[in-house]
Amino acid sequence: MTLLVRWLTASELEWANSRYAEVDFLPSPASDLVAVAELNGTAAGLGRVTHIAPGIGELGGMYVFPEHRGVGASKSLIQFLISQSNLATLYCLPFEHLDGLYQAAGFKPCDPGPSVPGKVMEKHAWCNARYPDPVLLMCRAALPPVS
Ligand SMILES: CC(C)(COP(=O)(O)OP(=O)(O)OC[C@H]1O[C@@H](n2cnc3c(N)ncnc32)[C@H](O)[C@@H]1OP(=O)(O)O)[C@@H](O)C(=O)NCCC(=O)NCCS
């Protein structure tokens, strides 16, 4: 099995958004950094980082197509987005039952408060109103440079 992750091309955005509609996820604007996981050359899932403010993003839109689940595609998408988005701070709004998946990638539960960007707080409230499953607020900060 070959699993690789790459950036979505501009011509694939409409396709990606039609896949997101299947799971009632918001469509991505062209400004999102969207990644595609491919299993043996076939598209298997999507993930994205939305730019929030300088150095800050929101990682989400994790959707592995049903026939490709359980082989690590979401873990690879998360690692790719963390390493390639080049943002020091990433927020994430995962469903509660996926806590362990995101903690394993370095995300920690985060208290809502004035240090959290308004856009992230608004999306968190929106998600909790929209989806039946509780949605967490998590954050991952870059490690300080080694001196
Ligand atoms: C959640 C989802 C992205 C997982 O994708 P996946 O490629 O099958 O996940 P992976 O194979 O990379 O598994 C990664 C880890 O997450 C865990 N995991 C996956 N689905 C899980 C679930 N429904 N509940 C709890 N843990 C789960 C796996 O057990 C695995 O843990 P391990 O490393 O300790 O074995 C996929 O089921 C999906 O697209 N669901 C519908 C959309 C959705 O809910 N997206 C998440 C939004 S926050």
Side-chain angles (χ1 to χ4, degrees), residues 25 62-64 69-75 94-95 97-98 101-102:
F25 284 5
M62 207 54 56
Y63 176 35
V64 174
R69 289 185 189 160
V71 295
S74 73
K75 278 202 259 192
F95 292 129
H97 61 274
L98 296 171
L101 171 63
Y102 289 93

Side-chain angles (χ1 to χ4, degrees), residues 117-131:
K119 278 188 205 167
V120 174
M121 293 296 294
E122 282 164 26
K123 176 100 182 275
H124 185 226
W126 182 88
C127 288
N128 271 306
R130 177 82 174 195
Y131 302 114

Side-chain angles (χ1 to χ4, degrees), residues 12-91:
E12 293 172 312
L13 186 60
E14 197 177 322
W15 162 77
N17 284 334
S18 72
R19 301 291 327 220
Y20 275 142
E22 295 170 4
V23 279
D24 195 23
F25 284 5
L26 288 171
S28 266
S31 55
D32 276 0
L33 299 170
V34 184
V36 189
E38 288 185 344
L39 266 170
N40 298 328
T42 300
L46 298 163
R48 62 188 168 194
V49 168
T50 300
H51 189 257
I52 300 290
I56 304 176
E58 184 231 323
L59 183 150
M62 207 54 56
Y63 176 35
V64 174
F65 311 145
E67 64 276 27
H68 298 299
R69 289 185 189 160
V71 295
S74 73
K75 278 202 259 192
S76 297
L77 281 161
I78 292 167
Q79 286 309 328
F80 178 90
L81 289 165
I82 290 170
S83 63
Q84 302 298 311
S85 62
N86 210 19
L87 293 167
T89 302
L90 287 172
Y91 288 89

